[in-house]
Amino acid sequence: MDLYNDTYLPDILHDIAQGLLTPVMVLIVALIAVTLFFLGAVIVEFFTERRHFKQNMPRIVNQINDAGYGDVAQVVSDGQLLRYQKAALITAARNMGLPEEPLFALAQNQIAQAEGICKRRLAWTDTISKIAPLLGLMGTLIPLGPGIVALGQNNVTLLSQSLTVAFDATVCGLTCAVVSLIVSKVRSGWYGEYLGALESLMTCVLDKAAEARKAGVKLPANYDGDPMEEFKQTDRAAKAQPATVAAAGADAAPEAAAEPATAKGGE
């Protein structure tokens, strides 16, 4: 029995392959949109987060070393670090009274959370850089079947249409992969620097805690808050403050305007 000629397997495979053409094209278009989004996101990140990371590492290391045991969290908060770096360090600094091993475990957990933030940001572009060429290859091979058949039938129009679809899919898939790979590489360099700085400063906080432990200084060890939420509340308060000041100025303006009139009437 000839499976190729005596069964419907070739027809089934052909129908499946041709049925995948539209979903593949839709996915390629979606990847183009997602890639453009992440390209814009990395540009925005450069002008916001990246430009704000201006911390002089020797300076803040010396500041932590010279600070009082209870002032480490404030030194970190006043530094020019990224917010998730500050959150990790502040959480450790406000629990410096813990025993050595629990404090070390907490520090590792905070660093792991920061690494998780970086990995989540890289996951999309890393995935696109691997999937896009495969989808481009699928979008190339699927139309070539009907194109080859059209070539045997001297149907130049169908052949040209098939080749156009195939080449377009290849170009779009490779473009998405290249752009996503560049974004991932750029971000990986940034995040490696961020995490290296965080690990160095976390070591300074742990050394400060060990110093306090040896000196017999009692430090707090019951902080379980969320510094990121505190940052958000501070931002909301800062945004609300100008509106409050403006409203107060508006209320004072009529009183100031009324004073000259009263003085004039008194004259």
Side-chain angles (χ1 to χ4, degrees), residues 131-241:
I131 290 179
L134 300 178
L135 290 175
L137 180 61
M138 290 179 64
T140 302
L141 296 178
I142 293 173
L144 286 182
I148 294 174
V149 174
L151 178 62
Q153 298 173 350
N154 292 324
N155 189 343
V156 180
T157 301
L158 181 58
L159 175 62
S160 62
Q161 291 176 351
S162 299
L163 291 177
T164 300
V165 173
F167 292 151
D168 290 345
T170 302
V171 171
C172 292
L174 291 177
T175 301
C176 290
V178 169
V179 173
S180 298
L181 184 61
I182 292 174
V183 171
S184 290
K185 291 298 182 182
V186 170
R187 279 182 159 176
S188 295
W190 293 352
Y191 298 160
E193 182 182 353
Y194 299 159
L195 293 175
L198 175 59
E199 291 176 359
S200 300
L201 295 177
M202 190 65 78
T203 301
C204 295
V205 173
L206 294 179
D207 288 344
K208 196 72 176 180
E211 181 183 332
R213 201 176 298 115
K214 290 180 181 179
V217 179
K218 183 67 175 178
L219 293 174
N222 58 352
Y223 176 75
D224 59 356
D226 185 2
M228 294 295 289
E229 186 62 30
E230 295 176 9
F231 295 150
K232 292 178 182 178
Q233 293 177 358
T234 302
D235 288 344
R236 287 193 290 265
K239 290 179 181 179
Q241 186 174 2

Side-chain angles (χ1 to χ4, degrees), residues 5 39 74 88 120 137 160 257 261:
N5 295 318
L39 180 61
Q74 188 60 43
R120 285 193 295 272
L137 180 61
S160 62

Side-chain angles (χ1 to χ4, degrees), residues 8-196:
Y8 293 101
L9 288 179
D11 296 332
I12 294 173
L13 293 178
H14 176 75
D15 292 340
I16 293 174
Q18 295 305 310
L20 289 174
L21 180 60
T22 299
V24 167
M25 293 303 172
V26 171
L27 287 175
I28 291 175
V29 172
L31 286 183
I32 293 173
V34 175
T35 302
L36 290 175
F37 170 80
F38 282 107
L39 180 61
V42 77
I43 294 174
V44 172
E45 185 176 342
F46 173 77
F47 286 104
T48 55
E49 186 174 274
R50 179 65 181 172
R51 293 182 64 181
H52 288 166
F53 183 71
K54 299 178 180 179
Q55 181 61 59
N56 184 306
M57 289 301 296
R59 180 183 304 164
I60 192 170
V61 168
N62 285 313
Q63 288 175 344
I64 292 175
N65 184 62
D66 297 337
Y69 299 123
D71 299 329
V72 175
Q74 188 60 43
V75 171
V76 171
S77 181
D78 294 339
Q80 293 180 309
L81 298 168
L82 302 179
R83 287 198 165 183
Y84 64 84
Q85 292 175 317
K86 289 184 179 181
L89 293 169
I90 288 174
T91 300
R94 291 179 178 174
N95 287 284
M96 287 172 57
L98 288 172
E100 182 178 0
E101 291 187 2
L103 181 58
F104 181 74
L106 176 63
Q108 285 186 316
N109 174 261
Q110 294 301 308
I111 293 175
Q113 288 186 15
E115 289 178 349
I117 294 174
C118 297
K119 287 180 180 179
R120 285 193 295 272
R121 293 184 180 182
L122 292 173
W124 275 95
T125 48
D126 285 344
T127 303
I128 292 174
S129 66
K130 296 175 183 178
I131 290 179
L134 300 178
L135 290 175
L137 180 61
M138 290 179 64
T140 302
L141 296 178
I142 293 173
L144 286 182
I148 294 174
V149 174
L151 178 62
Q153 298 173 350
N154 292 324
N155 189 343
V156 180
T157 301
L158 181 58
L159 175 62
S160 62
Q161 291 176 351
S162 299
L163 291 177
T164 300
V165 173
F167 292 151
D168 290 345
T170 302
V171 171
C172 292
L174 291 177
T175 301
C176 290
V178 169
V179 173
S180 298
L181 184 61
I182 292 174
V183 171
S184 290
K185 291 298 182 182
V186 170
R187 279 182 159 176
S188 295
W190 293 352
Y191 298 160
E193 182 182 353
Y194 299 159
L195 293 175

